[in-house]
Amino acid sequence: MAGMSGLFKFLAILVGVLTPVFYVLEQNLNSFYIFETDHLHDLAKRGIAAHGNDTRSIVKYIVDELGDRTATKSHINFDEEWVFNNAGGAMGAMYIIHASVTEYLIIFGTAIGTEGHTGRHTADDYFHILTGVQTAYVPGEYEPEVYPPGSVHHLRRGTVKQYKMPESCFALEYARGWIPPMLFFGYADGLSSTLDFPTLWRMSYVTAREMIGNLLLGKF
């Protein structure tokens, strides 16, 4: 009993110490961001205008420009390390361009279509459609939300939707907020359904490498 009492006391102290730290960080999240939502939207549209339905060229266009910008060039993964991603019942593949504690930027998509649950996240998610079409649904509506190339599907922090990519669709996905808690959603299907441990390992390795690498560069 004495041991349990000590544990509860330790946890209470830990919560008491971390709560104000979290509050301060939460109030200053914007200071940690290196990507600009307006720039990413403009960049995606320019990539589409320059290359049409050539997704590979659009992706290269985007990554090349981010690699030339002073604020982002040291924090970009230029190697197209594609890995499957199963989350919320949907399946596709992703290329992690950037991952840190407060931001991630990926290319996500599939050439054959998918459908699933967005998840309820601790970050705002901006889904910039590059090729194909994404639709989304919220309870109580009778018509789908439709997102064609050049549009942005903004999933606000803490909200949830059903989404679908009926056919081939690829997007530049940007999330800003608290990224580590989102990883639980990213692992759930792999641990409870697909049991594709090599893919989980590869995804974990690339994500950890990028997050730790960015922390070492002072990017929170």
Side-chain angles (χ1 to χ4, degrees):
M1 292 297 292
M4 290 298 293
S5 175
L7 176 61
F8 287 133
K9 184 180 293 186
F10 170 76
L11 291 176
I13 294 172
L14 187 63
V15 170
V17 171
L18 292 181
T19 297
V21 173
F22 174 79
Y23 177 80
V24 171
L25 291 174
E26 176 71 20
Q27 299 305 307
N28 292 278
L29 273 178
N30 286 338
S31 66
F32 300 119
Y33 301 147
I34 60 173
F35 298 98
E36 302 165 7
T37 55
D38 289 343
H39 170 252
L40 291 176
H41 187 198
D42 177 67
L43 177 56
K45 290 193 294 183
R46 284 189 283 111
I48 294 166
H51 298 288
N53 288 322
D54 184 350
T55 311
R56 187 182 302 276
S57 295
I58 296 173
V59 171
K60 185 178 186 304
Y61 182 96
I62 290 170
V63 174
D64 284 350
E65 179 164 320
L66 292 174
D68 288 336
R69 286 173 64 89
T70 301
T72 58
K73 63 182 181 181
S74 298
H75 306 283
I76 299 298
N77 175 24
F78 293 98
D79 296 325
E80 283 200 41
E81 300 169 288
W82 287 92
V83 61
F84 272 130
N85 177 253
N86 291 82
M91 182 175 184
M94 66 177 180
Y95 155 34
I96 300 175
I97 300 172
H98 171 88
S100 61
V101 174
T102 58
E103 294 175 286
Y104 79 64
L105 186 68
I106 68 173
I107 301 295
F108 175 81
T110 172
I112 60 174
T114 192
E115 179 180 6
H117 189 292
T118 60
R120 194 181 300 272
H121 300 301
T122 51
D124 280 273
D125 189 272
Y126 300 83
F127 209 71
H128 302 261
I129 307 299
L130 303 178
T131 54
V133 174
Q134 185 196 51
T135 56
Y137 171 74
V138 293
E141 297 297 326
Y142 290 95
E143 297 294 333
E145 301 172 5
V146 181
Y147 299 95
S151 65
V152 183
H153 180 187
H154 179 194
L155 182 70
R156 297 184 184 280
R157 181 166 133 170
T159 62
V160 65
K161 296 180 184 180
Q162 176 189 10
Y163 78 94
K164 184 176 184 178
M165 297 157 135
E167 297 178 339
S168 177
C169 182
F170 287 86
L172 174 70
E173 183 176 5
Y174 171 58
R176 52 163 50 186
W178 296 108
I179 304 305
M182 298 177 71
L183 298 177
F184 294 106
F185 177 74
Y187 281 100
D189 280 13
L191 294 174
S192 65
S193 177
T194 68
L195 304 181
D196 182 3
F197 297 114
T199 291
L200 286 175
W201 162 249
R202 186 61 183 166
M203 181 175 69
S204 301
Y205 171 77
V206 176
T207 302
R209 186 195 67 204
E210 295 302 308
M211 281 191 166
I212 293 170
N214 280 305
L215 277 173
L216 292 175
L217 291 173
K219 170 63 179 81
F220 185 67

